[in-house]
Amino acid sequence: MLENFFSGLTKEIIISVILIIALIIWRFTLKKSANRIARIGDFNIGRTKLMFKYINVLVSFIMIFALMFTWGVQAEDLVWIFSSVFAVIGIGLFAIWSILSNITSGVIMFFSCPFKIGDDIKIHDKEHPIEAKIEDIRAFQMHLRTSDGELIVYPNNMVLQKPISLIKKEGA
């Protein structure tokens, strides 16, 4: 009986195995690329690990979506499922949109940020100018330490919105 079950699903099993192997190779390639970019840019290992988490989520989502199609889930069924899920998520995310904005900014900063941990920067804000050393760059915020020893937690999305001067590079 079990043999009859698997004989009717041979095509789906083969496609699933090929998809899983292809997506694992793709994930490995993306991680290798992120690691190379981090090495070239001399990024902190914590920032690189954060990118690895984002890559894992992206590849897992694509894998689940592809496997659902492989096993016969119709596009119309997926539309209902995803529209319901995205409606609930959309309502929840509307309330916390700044968190998504900070995560997106963190990803952008990983690939194109001209400064690193240890650099001295000046944030040109009319109301609250900040001159500090970068202690850490995290998923949501940047930790800055002023010359007075004050720790400032600055949101990543604000880093992309405000002009910032690089005062002194680490080790320079």
Side-chain angles (χ1 to χ4, degrees):
M1 178 163 162
L2 191 59
E3 190 176 293
N4 290 337
F5 176 75
F6 284 118
S7 67
L9 299 173
T10 306
K11 178 182 170 188
E12 287 85 358
I13 293 171
I14 292 171
I15 292 172
S16 295
V17 169
I18 291 170
L19 271 173
I20 291 170
I21 291 170
L23 289 171
I24 288 171
I25 291 170
W26 187 48
R27 184 182 75 170
F28 175 77
T29 305
L30 286 174
K31 283 185 171 185
K32 195 112 173 130
S33 297
N35 202 19
R36 189 175 334 112
I37 290 169
R39 206 173 33 253
I40 291 169
D42 195 29
F43 296 141
N44 181 307
I45 190 70
R47 290 178 69 194
T48 307
K49 287 183 179 181
L50 184 63
M51 283 302 112
F52 290 170
K53 287 180 185 178
Y54 293 154
I55 289 169
N56 285 337
V57 168
L58 172 71
V59 172
S60 297
F61 180 73
I62 291 171
M63 185 180 302
I64 290 168
F65 193 70
L67 288 173
M68 289 173 74
F69 271 125
T70 301
W71 286 91
V73 176
Q74 298 298 319
E76 296 82 25
D77 297 337
L78 287 178
V79 169
W80 283 107
I81 291 170
F82 283 114
S83 64
S84 300
V85 169
F86 285 134
V88 171
I89 290 173
I91 291 168
L93 292 180
F94 180 74
I96 56 172
W97 67 269
S98 65
I99 291 175
L100 273 181
S101 171
N102 285 319
I103 291 173
T104 305
S105 299
V107 171
I108 292 168
M109 287 171 44
F110 177 78
F111 290 106
S112 65
C113 191
F115 37 82
K116 300 178 209 134
I117 294 172
D119 291 348
D120 290 323
I121 62 169
K122 181 176 183 178
I123 300 173
H124 301 278
D125 187 357
K126 289 181 183 177
E127 297 172 8
H128 304 287
I130 299 170
E131 193 167 326
K133 181 182 283 292
I134 300 173
E135 273 192 358
D136 198 4
I137 301 173
R138 299 193 175 181
F140 301 106
Q141 73 272 347
M142 193 184 270
H143 290 191
L144 307 170
R145 183 75 60 180
T146 65
S147 58
D148 302 342
E150 178 184 12
L151 175 67
I152 298 173
V153 179
Y154 203 74
N156 285 341
N157 62 351
M158 296 303 291
V159 171
L160 295 180
Q161 293 176 15
K162 302 285 181 184
I164 297 178
S165 298
L166 181 60
I167 297 173
K168 185 178 87 171
K169 300 252 332 145
E170 178 186 27

